[in-house]
C-alpha cells in the first residue's frame, strides 16, 4: 500500500471554450466565488482555499487534471519517492508555476493505462476572506468521476498503488472510491467507457433545500437538468445534475455516507438496477455525462 495519506480532493481543472460565458454560470447559478480572473483561466472556490475549480480556455471542453491535497509535506515527499519508485514519469512544477497556482511544492503525473493527469500538493494559500455561500450553501468540492477505456486497470492502479479505497461498485460499470483517509463515500470515481472522458464534477451542499432551489434556479435560467432530483441508494445522497454552457455535467448533492478510518465496512458489489442509482425512480437524460474529453485523450 502506498505510504502517504490524502487530506481531500483539492481542486479540479476543466477546459471550457468560453470563459466569459462560464463566469455567470459558475458564479451566479452554481454559487462559487470567483477568486481570480486571468486572460486564459478562472479560479473559483467553495471553501477558504484559493481555488477548488480552475477553468482554462481551450478549443474543446473536458477535464485537464485532478488535484489532491495530501495531509502534510512529509506525505508529499513520501508520495514523490513512491511514484518515482513505480517508474512513472513525474513532472515537478517550478517555483513560478507553484506561485501562480498559490500552492506549495507540487508535482504531476499521468495515471498508467489512462490519459488523466493527477496533481499532488500539500499546501494551498488561503483566500483573503472566508468563503461566503450565496445562492447555494456549498460545503466542499465533493468528487469527480471520469470514464476510462481501461477502467479495471485504472481502478487497480488507484487502489493498489495510490492508496484509494473502494466503497462500492455498481456492477462492472462504475467504481466509487475514496482517497484514504478522506471519510466521504467517494472522492473519485471511474466509469467504464469506450474512451477516456469526463463524466461529472460534484459540489456538496449543506441543506436539501439547496437541491430544490437549485433545480428551480437552473430551470428559470434555461439550464438543462439531466438527472434528478433523486436519491442515490449507493451513497445515500440526494442529487441534482445539470449542464454547464459547454454541456459538461455538474452535480449538487446533499448528504453522503462516511467511513471511519478504521473498521470501515467492506465494499459492496451492487446490482446494475436503475433504483440503485435513483431510489426515487428517475432516469438520466440522454446528455447526462456525455460531454468532455480528458485533455490529451483525443
Amino acid at each position: 500500500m502506498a505510504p502517504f495519506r490524502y487530506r481531500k480532493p483539492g481542486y479540479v481543472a476543466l477546459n471550457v471554450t468560453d470563459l466569459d460565458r462560464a463566469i455567470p454560470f459558475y458564479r451566479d447559478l452554481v454559487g462559487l466565488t470567483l477568486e481570480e480572473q486571468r486572460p486564459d483561466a478562472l479560479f473559483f472556490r467553495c471553501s477558504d482555499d484559493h481555488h477548488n475549480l480552475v477553468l482554462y480556455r481551450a478549443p474543446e471542453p473536458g477535464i485537464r487534471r485532478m488535484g489532491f491535497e495530501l495531509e502534510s509535506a512529509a506525505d508529499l515527499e513520501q508520495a514523490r519517492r513512491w511514484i518515482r519508485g513505480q517508474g512513472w514519469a513525474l513532472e515537478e512544477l517550478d517555483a513560478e508555476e507553484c506561485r501562480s497556482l498559490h500552492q506549495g511544492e507540487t508535482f504531476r503525473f499521468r495515471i498508467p493505462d489512462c490519459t488523466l493527469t493527477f496533481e499532488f500538493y500539500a499546501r494551498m494559500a488561503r483566500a483573503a476572506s472566508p468563503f461566503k455561500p450565496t445562492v447555494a450553501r456549498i460545503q466542499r468540492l465533493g468528487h469527480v468521476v471520469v470514464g476510462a477505456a481501461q477502467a479495471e486497470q485504472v481502478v487497480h492502479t488507484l487502489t493498489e498503488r495510490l492508496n484509494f479505497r473502494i466503497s462500492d461498485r455498481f456492477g462492472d460499470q462504475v467504481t466509487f472510491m475514496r482517497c484514504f483517509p478522506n471519510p466521504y463515500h467517494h472522492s473519485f470515481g471511474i466509469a467504464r467507457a469506450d474512451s477516456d472522458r469526463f463524466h461529472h464534477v460534484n459540489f456538496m451542499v449543506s441543506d436539501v433545500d439547496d437541491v430544490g432551489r437549485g433545480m428551480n434556479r437552473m430551470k428559470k435560467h434555461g439550464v438543462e437538468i439531466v438527472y434528478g432530483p433523486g436519491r442515490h441508494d449507493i451513497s445515500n445522497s440526494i442529487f441534482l445534475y445539470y449542464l454547464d454552457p459547454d454541456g459538461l455535467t455538474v452535480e449538487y448533492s446533499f448528504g453522503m455516507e462516511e467511513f471511519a478510518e478504521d473498521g470501515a465496512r467492506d465494499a459492496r458489489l451492487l446490482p446494475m438496477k436503475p433504483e440503485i442509482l435513483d431510489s426515487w425512480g428517475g432516469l438520466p437524460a440522454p446528455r447526462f455525462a456525455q460531454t468532455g474529453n480528458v485533455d490529451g485523450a483525443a
Side-chain angles (χ1 to χ4, degrees), residues 23-34 44-47 131-138 203 217-218 242 252:
I23 291 175
F25 176 81
Y26 284 97
R27 182 190 61 196
D28 304 332
L29 297 184
V30 178
L32 306 177
T33 295
L34 178 58
F44 291 91
R45 64 185 175 101
C46 55
S47 71
F131 174 67
K132 294 181 179 180
T134 55
V135 295
R137 285 162 289 189
I138 300 174
F203 297 100
R217 184 170 62 255
M218 298 303 169
Y242 46 92
Y252 280 155

Side-chain angles (χ1 to χ4, degrees), residues 29-59:
L29 297 184
V30 178
L32 306 177
T33 295
L34 178 58
E35 184 66 18
E36 185 175 349
Q37 183 173 355
R38 301 177 188 170
D40 63 342
L42 303 170
F43 291 75
F44 291 91
R45 64 185 175 101
C46 55
S47 71
D48 293 345
D49 292 339
H50 178 269
H51 57 273
N52 303 107
L53 172 69
V54 183
L55 302 181
Y56 290 95
R57 180 183 288 112

Side-chain angles (χ1 to χ4, degrees), residues 255-269:
M256 179 172 278
E257 181 182 5
E258 296 184 33
F259 289 74
E261 181 172 340
D262 298 312
R265 68 163 175 81
D266 292 336
R268 301 171 297 182
L269 177 60

Side-chain angles (χ1 to χ4, degrees), residues 145-159:
V145 175
V146 299
Q150 300 186 70
E152 283 304 314
Q153 293 93 318
V154 175
V155 169
H156 183 270
T157 295
L158 293 175
T159 55

Side-chain angles (χ1 to χ4, degrees), residues 130-179:
F131 174 67
K132 294 181 179 180
T134 55
V135 295
R137 285 162 289 189
I138 300 174
Q139 292 183 308
R140 62 183 62 84
L141 170 67
H143 60 265
V144 170
V145 175
V146 299
Q150 300 186 70
E152 283 304 314
Q153 293 93 318
V154 175
V155 169
H156 183 270
T157 295
L158 293 175
T159 55
E160 297 300 319
R161 303 169 80 178
L162 286 173
N163 206 14
F164 281 72
R165 307 291 170 88
I166 296 176
S167 299
D168 285 314
R169 288 180 180 262
F170 179 61
D172 65 352
Q173 293 301 301
V174 189
T175 303
F176 299 92
M177 293 167 284
R178 57 197 190 275
C179 54

Side-chain angles (χ1 to χ4, degrees), residues 74-251:
D75 285 293
L76 186 67
E77 181 56 30
Q78 289 272 32
R80 177 185 284 112
R81 293 175 182 174
W82 174 263
I83 290 165
R84 283 178 172 157
Q86 306 304 303
W88 303 344
L90 187 151
E91 176 193 358
E92 296 278 3
L93 273 60
D94 61 28
E96 182 178 354
E97 187 167 4
C98 289
R99 283 194 297 271
S100 74
L101 288 170
H102 302 268
Q103 295 171 196
E105 290 185 40
T106 300
F107 63 82
R108 296 174 186 155
F109 61 97
R110 284 285 181 92
I111 305 171
D113 301 310
C114 186
T115 50
L116 181 63
T117 296
F118 268 15
E119 178 177 286
F120 283 180
Y121 61 93
R123 181 177 59 83
M124 179 183 288
R126 293 294 184 256
S129 60
F131 174 67
K132 294 181 179 180
T134 55
V135 295
R137 285 162 289 189
I138 300 174
Q139 292 183 308
R140 62 183 62 84
L141 170 67
H143 60 265
V144 170
V145 175
V146 299
Q150 300 186 70
E152 283 304 314
Q153 293 93 318
V154 175
V155 169
H156 183 270
T157 295
L158 293 175
T159 55
E160 297 300 319
R161 303 169 80 178
L162 286 173
N163 206 14
F164 281 72
R165 307 291 170 88
I166 296 176
S167 299
D168 285 314
R169 288 180 180 262
F170 179 61
D172 65 352
Q173 293 301 301
V174 189
T175 303
F176 299 92
M177 293 167 284
R178 57 197 190 275
C179 54
F180 187 79
N182 188 274
Y184 295 103
H185 180 276
H186 55 283
S187 46
F188 197 68
I190 295 292
R192 186 178 297 277
D194 292 335
S195 62
D196 294 351
R197 57 187 306 102
F198 176 73
H199 195 280
H200 74 270
V201 58
N202 162 274
F203 297 100
M204 296 176 66
V205 297
S206 63
D207 196 301
V208 68
D209 289 343
D210 290 316
V211 176
R213 293 189 184 108
M215 176 187 68
N216 289 321
R217 184 170 62 255
M218 298 303 169
K219 285 182 176 180
K220 179 179 178 181
H221 289 87
V223 173
E224 184 177 353
I225 294 172
V226 289
Y227 199 10
R231 181 185 288 276
H232 287 315
D233 187 63
I234 289 176
S235 59
N236 197 34
S237 58
I238 294 173
F239 65 84
L240 179 74
Y241 295 87
Y242 46 92
L243 301 182
D244 88 344
D246 276 306
L248 298 175
T249 299
V250 182
E251 180 191 16

